[in-house]
Amino acid sequence: MSLKFCSFASGSSGNCYLVKSDETAILIDAGISGKKILEGLEQTETPREMVRAILVTHEHIDHVKSLPVMTKRIPDLQIYANEATWDQIDRPVPDEYRNQFTTGEDFKIGDLLIRPFPVSHDAAEPVGFSVFGEDRQISVCTDSGYISEDIFNEICTADLLLLEANHEKEMLLFGRYPYPLKQRILGEEGHLSNLTCGECLCKIVNEQPKKRQVLLGHLSHENNTPEVAMQAIINTLEEERIFVGDELKVEVARRDSISRLYKL
């Protein structure tokens, strides 16, 4: 079985990711317009009827915006979230489309094994997801104020890892955001900085050496840029004598454009 991944959008203004095998396709979050999601499916040559489910990380609007419209556009679509997240989603999703998982417990959709794992964010019960296809693992970890040991243990074995690099700390501190919002972003239920992301990658490479693809995700429009994020990550890695190359590939998942289709 081969696994494929594409980021339709990743950032503070909306998030949506595609994971698919030869038989099954799922979306992680639907925080962009339905039109853009359908365009992403078309560009990746993913038939609508192949999409079995949307997995929801948490209830914030940049992750759930288009849940209602997608139930109308994709036949037999099912939406999965944990109980606490469903309680907080204010989008009208009919009961027949609602499915509930338990954080930390694996479940299957088609030939894909899904593992929702807890992250630290100011939401009801936020999660990241690992998706497994035979011996391949794709993990998506954004919207977390820090990387706990449990999170690290989950994502360190991923063959493709989308990891949050939300902000450059100095840009945030000296930017125009009000002080309470700055404190929220910097807090343990906020978002990962470029430095924290880079330090996590250093630990991953040192403790679990393997060939892997890393995508830097959920970049802030105000407090980061793709160029700043990439340079910050490269600098942090090189301080530990870790170099981007054949074994470790690092790219940015763009806020407002579709990525290439990654094949594992």
Side-chain angles (χ1 to χ4, degrees), residues 34-57:
K35 179 182 178 182
K36 287 185 177 179
I37 293 173
L38 295 178
E39 287 174 352
L41 294 177
E42 184 175 353
Q43 289 184 45
T44 56
E45 299 181 343
T46 306
R48 294 189 194 186
E49 57 271 17
M50 188 180 181
V51 182
R52 301 277 295 276
I54 298 175
L55 312 180
V56 179
T57 59

PDB file of all heavy atoms in Angstrom, residues 34-57:
ATOM      1  N   GLY A  34     -15.479  25.322   0.750  1.00  0.00           N
ATOM      2  CA  GLY A  34     -15.781  24.087   0.054  1.00  0.00           C
ATOM      3  C   GLY A  34     -15.239  24.089  -1.357  1.00  0.00           C
ATOM      4  O   GLY A  34     -14.770  23.054  -1.855  1.00  0.00           O
ATOM      5  N   LYS A  35     -15.285  25.236  -2.011  1.00  0.00           N
ATOM      6  CA  LYS A  35     -14.763  25.353  -3.382  1.00  0.00           C
ATOM      7  C   LYS A  35     -13.285  24.995  -3.430  1.00  0.00           C
ATOM      8  O   LYS A  35     -12.844  24.243  -4.318  1.00  0.00           O
ATOM      9  CB  LYS A  35     -14.976  26.778  -3.896  1.00  0.00           C
ATOM     10  CG  LYS A  35     -14.439  27.016  -5.300  1.00  0.00           C
ATOM     11  CD  LYS A  35     -14.638  28.458  -5.730  1.00  0.00           C
ATOM     12  CE  LYS A  35     -14.041  28.696  -7.123  1.00  0.00           C
ATOM     13  NZ  LYS A  35     -14.184  30.118  -7.545  1.00  0.00           N
ATOM     14  N   LYS A  36     -12.508  25.496  -2.467  1.00  0.00           N
ATOM     15  CA  LYS A  36     -11.069  25.204  -2.460  1.00  0.00           C
ATOM     16  C   LYS A  36     -10.802  23.731  -2.155  1.00  0.00           C
ATOM     17  O   LYS A  36      -9.861  23.133  -2.696  1.00  0.00           O
ATOM     18  CB  LYS A  36     -10.358  26.100  -1.447  1.00  0.00           C
ATOM     19  CG  LYS A  36     -10.237  27.550  -1.886  1.00  0.00           C
ATOM     20  CD  LYS A  36      -9.418  28.360  -0.899  1.00  0.00           C
ATOM     21  CE  LYS A  36      -9.242  29.788  -1.376  1.00  0.00           C
ATOM     22  NZ  LYS A  36      -8.453  30.601  -0.410  1.00  0.00           N
ATOM     23  N   ILE A  37     -11.617  23.150  -1.295  1.00  0.00           N
ATOM     24  CA  ILE A  37     -11.439  21.722  -0.993  1.00  0.00           C
ATOM     25  C   ILE A  37     -11.696  20.894  -2.236  1.00  0.00           C
ATOM     26  O   ILE A  37     -10.921  19.988  -2.579  1.00  0.00           O
ATOM     27  CB  ILE A  37     -12.365  21.299   0.163  1.00  0.00           C
ATOM     28  CG1 ILE A  37     -11.941  21.986   1.463  1.00  0.00           C
ATOM     29  CG2 ILE A  37     -12.333  19.778   0.336  1.00  0.00           C
ATOM     30  CD1 ILE A  37     -12.894  21.753   2.617  1.00  0.00           C
ATOM     31  N   LEU A  38     -12.761  21.201  -2.959  1.00  0.00           N
ATOM     32  CA  LEU A  38     -13.077  20.446  -4.171  1.00  0.00           C
ATOM     33  C   LEU A  38     -12.018  20.667  -5.251  1.00  0.00           C
ATOM     34  O   LEU A  38     -11.680  19.743  -5.998  1.00  0.00           O
ATOM     35  CB  LEU A  38     -14.458  20.842  -4.686  1.00  0.00           C
ATOM     36  CG  LEU A  38     -15.630  20.486  -3.751  1.00  0.00           C
ATOM     37  CD1 LEU A  38     -16.944  20.974  -4.338  1.00  0.00           C
ATOM     38  CD2 LEU A  38     -15.681  18.992  -3.487  1.00  0.00           C
ATOM     39  N   GLU A  39     -11.466  21.872  -5.321  1.00  0.00           N
ATOM     40  CA  GLU A  39     -10.371  22.133  -6.256  1.00  0.00           C
ATOM     41  C   GLU A  39      -9.147  21.301  -5.888  1.00  0.00           C
ATOM     42  O   GLU A  39      -8.447  20.786  -6.769  1.00  0.00           O
ATOM     43  CB  GLU A  39     -10.020  23.616  -6.258  1.00  0.00           C
ATOM     44  CG  GLU A  39     -11.051  24.493  -6.950  1.00  0.00           C
ATOM     45  CD  GLU A  39     -10.752  25.977  -6.801  1.00  0.00           C
ATOM     46  OE1 GLU A  39      -9.822  26.325  -6.031  1.00  0.00           O
ATOM     47  OE2 GLU A  39     -11.444  26.785  -7.453  1.00  0.00           O
ATOM     48  N   GLY A  40      -8.889  21.160  -4.576  1.00  0.00           N
ATOM     49  CA  GLY A  40      -7.767  20.341  -4.144  1.00  0.00           C
ATOM     50  C   GLY A  40      -7.954  18.883  -4.522  1.00  0.00           C
ATOM     51  O   GLY A  40      -7.010  18.216  -4.961  1.00  0.00           O
ATOM     52  N   LEU A  41      -9.172  18.382  -4.359  1.00  0.00           N
ATOM     53  CA  LEU A  41      -9.444  16.998  -4.749  1.00  0.00           C
ATOM     54  C   LEU A  41      -9.221  16.811  -6.255  1.00  0.00           C
ATOM     55  O   LEU A  41      -8.643  15.808  -6.690  1.00  0.00           O
ATOM     56  CB  LEU A  41     -10.874  16.616  -4.376  1.00  0.00           C
ATOM     57  CG  LEU A  41     -11.192  16.572  -2.880  1.00  0.00           C
ATOM     58  CD1 LEU A  41     -12.669  16.249  -2.663  1.00  0.00           C
ATOM     59  CD2 LEU A  41     -10.317  15.548  -2.152  1.00  0.00           C
ATOM     60  N   GLU A  42      -9.666  17.784  -7.030  1.00  0.00           N
ATOM     61  CA  GLU A  42      -9.491  17.694  -8.483  1.00  0.00           C
ATOM     62  C   GLU A  42      -8.013  17.728  -8.865  1.00  0.00           C
ATOM     63  O   GLU A  42      -7.567  16.932  -9.693  1.00  0.00           O
ATOM     64  CB  GLU A  42     -10.251  18.829  -9.168  1.00  0.00           C
ATOM     65  CG  GLU A  42     -10.212  18.759 -10.691  1.00  0.00           C
ATOM     66  CD  GLU A  42     -11.063  19.825 -11.345  1.00  0.00           C
ATOM     67  OE1 GLU A  42     -11.796  20.542 -10.622  1.00  0.00           O
ATOM     68  OE2 GLU A  42     -10.997  19.946 -12.578  1.00  0.00           O
ATOM     69  N   GLN A  43      -7.257  18.627  -8.253  1.00  0.00           N
ATOM     70  CA  GLN A  43      -5.834  18.742  -8.592  1.00  0.00           C
ATOM     71  C   GLN A  43      -5.042  17.500  -8.202  1.00  0.00           C
ATOM     72  O   GLN A  43      -4.031  17.182  -8.834  1.00  0.00           O
ATOM     73  CB  GLN A  43      -5.236  19.976  -7.911  1.00  0.00           C
ATOM     74  CG  GLN A  43      -5.707  21.289  -8.506  1.00  0.00           C
ATOM     75  CD  GLN A  43      -5.014  22.483  -7.876  1.00  0.00           C
ATOM     76  OE1 GLN A  43      -3.796  22.475  -7.679  1.00  0.00           O
ATOM     77  NE2 GLN A  43      -5.778  23.518  -7.557  1.00  0.00           N
ATOM     78  N   THR A  44      -5.472  16.802  -7.159  1.00  0.00           N
ATOM     79  CA  THR A  44      -4.768  15.584  -6.737  1.00  0.00           C
ATOM     80  C   THR A  44      -5.380  14.326  -7.351  1.00  0.00           C
ATOM     81  O   THR A  44      -5.016  13.217  -6.969  1.00  0.00           O
ATOM     82  CB  THR A  44      -4.808  15.455  -5.196  1.00  0.00           C
ATOM     83  OG1 THR A  44      -6.172  15.480  -4.749  1.00  0.00           O
ATOM     84  CG2 THR A  44      -4.040  16.588  -4.539  1.00  0.00           C
ATOM     85  N   GLU A  45      -6.322  14.522  -8.285  1.00  0.00           N
ATOM     86  CA  GLU A  45      -6.983  13.411  -8.976  1.00  0.00           C
ATOM     87  C   GLU A  45      -7.619  12.438  -7.979  1.00  0.00           C
ATOM     88  O   GLU A  45      -7.469  11.222  -8.072  1.00  0.00           O
ATOM     89  CB  GLU A  45      -5.994  12.685  -9.904  1.00  0.00           C
ATOM     90  CG  GLU A  45      -5.425  13.591 -10.994  1.00  0.00           C
ATOM     91  CD  GLU A  45      -4.480  12.871 -11.928  1.00  0.00           C
ATOM     92  OE1 GLU A  45      -3.998  11.775 -11.569  1.00  0.00           O
ATOM     93  OE2 GLU A  45      -4.228  13.383 -13.034  1.00  0.00           O
ATOM     94  N   THR A  46      -8.329  13.039  -7.029  1.00  0.00           N
ATOM     95  CA  THR A  46      -9.020  12.271  -5.997  1.00  0.00           C
ATOM     96  C   THR A  46     -10.518  12.373  -6.244  1.00  0.00           C
ATOM     97  O   THR A  46     -11.115  13.429  -6.003  1.00  0.00           O
ATOM     98  CB  THR A  46      -8.701  12.816  -4.597  1.00  0.00           C
ATOM     99  OG1 THR A  46      -7.283  12.872  -4.414  1.00  0.00           O
ATOM    100  CG2 THR A  46      -9.316  11.939  -3.514  1.00  0.00           C
ATOM    101  N   PRO A  47     -11.158  11.318  -6.731  1.00  0.00           N
ATOM    102  CA  PRO A  47     -12.610  11.382  -6.953  1.00  0.00           C
ATOM    103  C   PRO A  47     -13.358  11.660  -5.651  1.00  0.00           C
ATOM    104  O   PRO A  47     -12.971  11.167  -4.587  1.00  0.00           O
ATOM    105  CB  PRO A  47     -12.948   9.978  -7.487  1.00  0.00           C
ATOM    106  CG  PRO A  47     -11.653   9.416  -7.978  1.00  0.00           C
ATOM    107  CD  PRO A  47     -10.594  10.017  -7.106  1.00  0.00           C
ATOM    108  N   ARG A  48     -14.420  12.435  -5.727  1.00  0.00           N
ATOM    109  CA  ARG A  48     -15.183  12.774  -4.518  1.00  0.00           C
ATOM    110  C   ARG A  48     -15.661  11.523  -3.781  1.00  0.00           C
ATOM    111  O   ARG A  48     -15.633  11.469  -2.553  1.00  0.00           O
ATOM    112  CB  ARG A  48     -16.394  13.643  -4.874  1.00  0.00           C
ATOM    113  CG  ARG A  48     -16.049  15.010  -5.417  1.00  0.00           C
ATOM    114  CD  ARG A  48     -17.315  15.845  -5.528  1.00  0.00           C
ATOM    115  NE  ARG A  48     -17.075  17.032  -6.347  1.00  0.00           N
ATOM    116  CZ  ARG A  48     -17.962  18.009  -6.526  1.00  0.00           C
ATOM    117  NH1 ARG A  48     -19.144  17.932  -5.926  1.00  0.00           N
ATOM    118  NH2 ARG A  48     -17.689  19.054  -7.288  1.00  0.00           N
ATOM    119  N   GLU A  49     -16.102  10.528  -4.555  1.00  0.00           N
ATOM    120  CA  GLU A  49     -16.649   9.321  -3.927  1.00  0.00           C
ATOM    121  C   GLU A  49     -15.587   8.506  -3.209  1.00  0.00           C
ATOM    122  O   GLU A  49     -15.910   7.604  -2.432  1.00  0.00           O
ATOM    123  CB  GLU A  49     -17.352   8.447  -4.964  1.00  0.00           C
ATOM    124  CG  GLU A  49     -16.493   8.015  -6.134  1.00  0.00           C
ATOM    125  CD  GLU A  49     -16.508   8.993  -7.302  1.00  0.00           C
ATOM    126  OE1 GLU A  49     -16.921  10.166  -7.102  1.00  0.00           O
ATOM    127  OE2 GLU A  49     -16.124   8.581  -8.402  1.00  0.00           O
ATOM    128  N   MET A  50     -14.309   8.819  -3.430  1.00  0.00           N
ATOM    129  CA  MET A  50     -13.222   8.135  -2.726  1.00  0.00           C
ATOM    130  C   MET A  50     -13.046   8.674  -1.308  1.00  0.00           C
ATOM    131  O   MET A  50     -12.477   8.010  -0.438  1.00  0.00           O
ATOM    132  CB  MET A  50     -11.921   8.299  -3.519  1.00  0.00           C
ATOM    133  CG  MET A  50     -10.748   7.497  -3.010  1.00  0.00           C
ATOM    134  SD  MET A  50      -9.275   7.803  -4.047  1.00  0.00           S
ATOM    135  CE  MET A  50      -8.088   6.737  -3.241  1.00  0.00           C
ATOM    136  N   VAL A  51     -13.531   9.911  -1.067  1.00  0.00           N
ATOM    137  CA  VAL A  51     -13.347  10.562   0.234  1.00  0.00           C
ATOM    138  C   VAL A  51     -14.370  10.012   1.215  1.00  0.00           C
ATOM    139  O   VAL A  51     -15.568  10.247   1.089  1.00  0.00           O
ATOM    140  CB  VAL A  51     -13.473  12.089   0.111  1.00  0.00           C
ATOM    141  CG1 VAL A  51     -13.237  12.746   1.468  1.00  0.00           C
ATOM    142  CG2 VAL A  51     -12.489  12.629  -0.922  1.00  0.00           C
ATOM    143  N   ARG A  52     -13.887   9.301   2.195  1.00  0.00           N
ATOM    144  CA  ARG A  52     -14.767   8.615   3.135  1.00  0.00           C
ATOM    145  C   ARG A  52     -15.094   9.457   4.369  1.00  0.00           C
ATOM    146  O   ARG A  52     -16.135   9.253   4.990  1.00  0.00           O
ATOM    147  CB  ARG A  52     -14.113   7.297   3.590  1.00  0.00           C
ATOM    148  CG  ARG A  52     -13.802   6.321   2.456  1.00  0.00           C
ATOM    149  CD  ARG A  52     -15.019   5.506   2.102  1.00  0.00           C
ATOM    150  NE  ARG A  52     -15.406   4.647   3.215  1.00  0.00           N
ATOM    151  CZ  ARG A  52     -14.873   3.456   3.460  1.00  0.00           C
ATOM    152  NH1 ARG A  52     -13.934   2.957   2.668  1.00  0.00           N
ATOM    153  NH2 ARG A  52     -15.296   2.724   4.482  1.00  0.00           N
ATOM    154  N   ALA A  53     -14.183  10.357   4.750  1.00  0.00           N
ATOM    155  CA  ALA A  53     -14.366  11.020   6.051  1.00  0.00           C
ATOM    156  C   ALA A  53     -13.581  12.319   6.141  1.00  0.00           C
ATOM    157  O   ALA A  53     -12.597  12.530   5.422  1.00  0.00           O
ATOM    158  CB  ALA A  53     -13.919  10.084   7.175  1.00  0.00           C
ATOM    159  N   ILE A  54     -14.048  13.173   7.044  1.00  0.00           N
ATOM    160  CA  ILE A  54     -13.276  14.324   7.524  1.00  0.00           C
ATOM    161  C   ILE A  54     -12.991  14.094   8.993  1.00  0.00           C
ATOM    162  O   ILE A  54     -13.903  13.830   9.779  1.00  0.00           O
ATOM    163  CB  ILE A  54     -14.040  15.644   7.340  1.00  0.00           C
ATOM    164  CG1 ILE A  54     -14.323  15.912   5.858  1.00  0.00           C
ATOM    165  CG2 ILE A  54     -13.236  16.811   7.937  1.00  0.00           C
ATOM    166  CD1 ILE A  54     -15.191  17.147   5.613  1.00  0.00           C
ATOM    167  N   LEU A  55     -11.728  14.174   9.373  1.00  0.00           N
ATOM    168  CA  LEU A  55     -11.320  14.070  10.771  1.00  0.00           C
ATOM    169  C   LEU A  55     -11.110  15.482  11.309  1.00  0.00           C
ATOM    170  O   LEU A  55     -10.411  16.282  10.700  1.00  0.00           O
ATOM    171  CB  LEU A  55     -10.017  13.280  10.900  1.00  0.00           C
ATOM    172  CG  LEU A  55      -9.907  11.947  10.158  1.00  0.00           C
ATOM    173  CD1 LEU A  55      -8.548  11.319  10.421  1.00  0.00           C
ATOM    174  CD2 LEU A  55     -11.024  11.005  10.564  1.00  0.00           C
ATOM    175  N   VAL A  56     -11.699  15.776  12.467  1.00  0.00           N
ATOM    176  CA  VAL A  56     -11.647  17.135  13.023  1.00  0.00           C
ATOM    177  C   VAL A  56     -10.682  17.170  14.206  1.00  0.00           C
ATOM    178  O   VAL A  56     -10.841  16.410  15.167  1.00  0.00           O
ATOM    179  CB  VAL A  56     -13.052  17.593  13.468  1.00  0.00           C
ATOM    180  CG1 VAL A  56     -12.982  19.001  14.060  1.00  0.00           C
ATOM    181  CG2 VAL A  56     -14.020  17.543  12.296  1.00  0.00           C
ATOM    182  N   THR A  57      -9.701  18.081  14.133  1.00  0.00           N
ATOM    183  CA  THR A  57      -8.736  18.212  15.224  1.00  0.00           C
ATOM    184  C   THR A  57      -9.327  18.950  16.424  1.00  0.00           C
ATOM    185  O   THR A  57      -9.098  18.562  17.569  1.00  0.00           O
ATOM    186  CB  THR A  57      -7.472  18.951  14.766  1.00  0.00           C
ATOM    187  OG1 THR A  57      -7.835  20.261  14.278  1.00  0.00           O
ATOM    188  CG2 THR A  57      -6.751  18.171  13.666  1.00  0.00           C
TER     189      THR A  57
END
